[in-house]
């Protein structure tokens, strides 16, 4: 039905946008890992603040994805795309977070 198709589209978008944010935040953090030892001592507080912002963006986004996927699971199982989102979510959730390593300047 049209209503089911619209709900499916909404669910995919409502979960995909925050999932993209989480993936980009973690990807950015991983890309910054090689640079952490080059951060000057005077700039370390700013670096740590940036790491905390990336971590917060990731945590909030993953929470939103969880809620949106659960709300979709409470209704009819919507075909097309949701399984892919769930796989991406699981992969990101199971990835070792780089947050502690980013703040290790030794």
């Amino acid at each position: 039905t049209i209503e089911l198709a619209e709900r499916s589209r909404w669910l995919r978008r409502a979960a995909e946008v925050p999932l993209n944010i989480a993936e980009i935040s973690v990807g950015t953090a991983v890309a910054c890992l090689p640079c952490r030892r080059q951060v000057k001592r005077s700039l370390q507080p700013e670096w740590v603040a940036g790491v905390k912002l990336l971590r917060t963006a990731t945590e909030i986004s993953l929470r939103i994805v969880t809620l949106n996927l659960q709300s979709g699971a409470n209704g009819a199982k919507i075909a097309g795309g949701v399984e892919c989102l769930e796989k991406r979510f699981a992969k990101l959730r199971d990835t070792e977070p780089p947050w502690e390593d980013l703040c290790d300047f030794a």
Side-chain angles (χ1 to χ4, degrees), residues 39-53 105:
V39 176
K40 294 182 180 188
R41 187 170 196 78
S42 63
L43 296 176
Q44 287 177 355
E46 284 80 4
W47 178 271
V48 171
V51 171
K52 289 182 179 187
L53 288 170
F105 298 106

Side-chain angles (χ1 to χ4, degrees), residues 13-59:
R13 289 177 181 167
E16 188 165 20
V17 170
L19 185 57
N20 285 343
I21 291 169
E23 289 172 335
I24 291 168
S25 296
V26 170
T28 301
V30 170
C32 289
L33 280 169
C35 302
R36 72 182 184 273
R37 287 183 170 61
Q38 298 170 0
V39 176
K40 294 182 180 188
R41 187 170 196 78
S42 63
L43 296 176
Q44 287 177 355
E46 284 80 4
W47 178 271
V48 171
V51 171
K52 289 182 179 187
L53 288 170
L54 288 171
R55 182 178 185 168
T56 300
T58 302
E59 290 173 353

Side-chain angles (χ1 to χ4, degrees), residues 9-20 61 64-66 68-69 85 88:
R9 188 171 25 262
W10 179 88
L11 175 62
R12 279 194 308 272
R13 289 177 181 167
E16 188 165 20
V17 170
L19 185 57
N20 285 343
S61 296
I64 292 169
V65 172
T66 300
N68 288 336
L69 290 177
L85 292 175
R88 287 170 53 199

